[in-house]
Amino acid sequence: MGLGDVLSCRIPQLTGGAACCYIDGRQFHLPTECAFQDRDVIPMLTDTELRLKSVAYRETILRIIAKAGAGHTGGDLSAIDILNVLYNVVLNVSPQSMADPDRDRYVQSKGHCVEALYTVLADRGFFPAEELETLCQFDSRLIGHPTRAVPGIEHNTGALGHGLAVAVGMALAAKLDGRGYRVFTLLGDGELDEGSNWEASLAAAHYRLDNLVVIVDRNGLQITGATEQVNALEPLPDKFRAFGYALREVDGHDLRALVDLLGTVPFEPGKPSLVLAHTIKGKGVSYAENVAGWHHHVPTAEELELALEELRAARQELEGR
């Protein structure tokens, strides 16, 4: 269905906000300022539909990691709700628009949690869902960190601390070219130990990149333990503000809060936006939550079945069964 079928629209005043339109009584999402260009219309999901997607994504993540025998389970589960909202509500990008110079860009700086990204990209049709079963197998393009060999991935990442600098470059290019696309990047909190993040932040503020949205997955744990014990980050909000960000904090598992907040970027004109998303490592699997050992733990057959049972119960509750 094309934009010519749109019967009525509500366009928010904030730059980069999400427009909504109604077609035959159904609500649709028109991302960013390009609402009236010849773009696909993305059906707006209800809160329950979004939550069901998060459950399904978690099931897929656990299954493909268990089959592959490798993966970063805890961080995948802490970040998946953010990716759900980005790709199903916020980002102006689709498999058909990857060659469009005005598409939004997403760079996953915490590249080790690529299983979550692969899961969402497959669901959005960037590549066949069946290919997820080849994760980390010989000759598969679905390797353990993002690579541009996979449709939908903008940039190779995995060496921590590099993604933000790349995103800053993309956002600056948009400004120089006079284009309206936005650049989103997701960082892990342990990744903030890398000084390159702070160098990139200086540049983002200097060039007034209000088309840049930095999301920090603040689950409080990294590979060797709690971030505050490994290399203390707090007071993190004060540090980000001192580096020139317009900062907002949010529950990174509250889908409605994420939708509402990301629909208001940029938070301040002339400043890069930073979303400090408070999350739980291993979220959705009770025995994995807030356990550092699940950073790259692969679930055993018994652990997988227990996790899937919990997720089945969560699905049934959402479906009212």
Side-chain angles (χ1 to χ4, degrees):
M1 185 174 295
L3 292 180
D5 299 311
V6 173
L7 301 180
S8 63
C9 292
R10 292 184 291 116
I11 311 294
Q13 298 303 309
L14 287 172
T15 301
C20 292
C21 70
Y22 294 86
I23 303 173
D24 296 333
R26 292 189 64 196
Q27 188 182 42
F28 288 80
H29 173 61
L30 298 172
T32 73
E33 297 169 316
C34 301
F36 295 110
Q37 297 186 21
D38 186 16
R39 295 180 182 278
D40 296 332
V41 179
I42 305 170
M44 176 70 85
L45 300 174
T46 66
D47 287 358
T48 298
E49 288 170 334
L50 275 175
R51 291 169 70 186
L52 284 168
K53 273 194 176 291
S54 281
V55 172
Y57 289 159
R58 286 185 165 88
E59 291 171 335
T60 298
I61 288 166
L62 288 161
R63 286 193 178 105
I64 64 175
I65 288 177
K67 181 175 181 179
H72 289 80
T73 312
D76 284 319
L77 298 178
S78 72
I80 192 60
D81 295 317
I82 297 168
L83 291 174
N84 182 2
V85 169
L86 284 175
Y87 276 92
N88 288 299
V89 182
V90 176
L91 290 174
N92 178 23
V93 68
S94 71
Q96 295 73 36
S97 69
M98 283 301 293
D100 185 341
D102 290 313
R103 73 189 182 282
D104 286 342
R105 274 72 163 167
Y106 171 73
V107 177
Q108 184 148 314
S109 191
K110 54 174 295 181
H112 56 284
C113 293
V114 73
E115 297 84 16
L117 180 56
Y118 288 156
T119 295
V120 175
L121 289 176
D123 178 61
R124 292 284 288 114
F126 285 87
F127 58 86
E130 295 78 13
E131 192 172 346
L132 291 171
E133 301 299 319
T134 71
L135 176 69
C136 291
Q137 294 181 13
F138 176 73
D139 215 25
S140 172
R141 59 184 176 177
L142 303 186
I143 62 173
H145 290 83
T147 166
R148 291 184 64 195
V150 178
I153 290 181
E154 293 281 357
H155 200 275
N156 295 16
T157 56
L160 295 178
H162 291 185
L164 178 54
V166 171
V168 167
M170 291 177 173
L172 180 56
K175 293 285 188 182
L176 293 173
D177 289 344
R179 296 193 176 277
Y181 67 80
R182 305 167 300 170
V183 183
F184 294 76
T185 185
L186 178 67
L187 280 64
D189 49 3
E191 181 180 5
L192 298 176
D193 294 348
E194 301 284 352
S196 51
N197 290 301
W198 303 99
E199 296 174 22
S201 296
L202 286 173
H206 176 77
Y207 289 108
R208 300 173 59 84
L209 299 181
D210 54 7
N211 57 342
L212 174 67
V213 183
V214 180
I215 305 171
V216 176
D217 181 1
R218 184 66 168 124
N219 61 40
L221 294 172
Q222 56 193 100
I223 189 169
T224 51
T227 58
E228 297 313 287
Q229 295 175 351
V230 175
N231 193 25
L233 299 171
E234 296 296 341
L236 199 50
D238 293 342
K239 292 175 181 177
F240 280 128
R241 290 190 181 102
F243 271 77
Y245 287 103
L247 180 142
R248 302 289 185 273
E249 299 187 58
V250 69
D251 178 344
H253 302 301
D254 186 331
L255 298 173
R256 172 47 47 189
L258 286 166
V259 169
D260 290 344
L261 181 60
L262 290 169
T264 68
V265 295
F267 301 140
E268 294 181 34
K271 287 188 174 184
S273 300
L274 190 135
V275 176
L276 190 58
H278 296 281
T279 62
I280 297 172
K281 198 151 195 155
K283 175 67 175 178
V285 179
S286 62
Y287 54 84
E289 291 186 355
N290 280 321
V291 178
W294 275 84
H295 179 86
H296 54 62
H297 177 73
V298 175
T300 64
E302 182 180 1
E303 289 169 339
L304 176 62
E305 185 53 40
L306 288 172
L308 294 178
E309 284 181 10
E310 291 187 6
L311 292 168
R312 279 193 290 270
R315 178 189 300 280
Q316 290 171 356
E317 182 178 352
L318 287 169
E319 293 174 339
R321 293 191 282 138

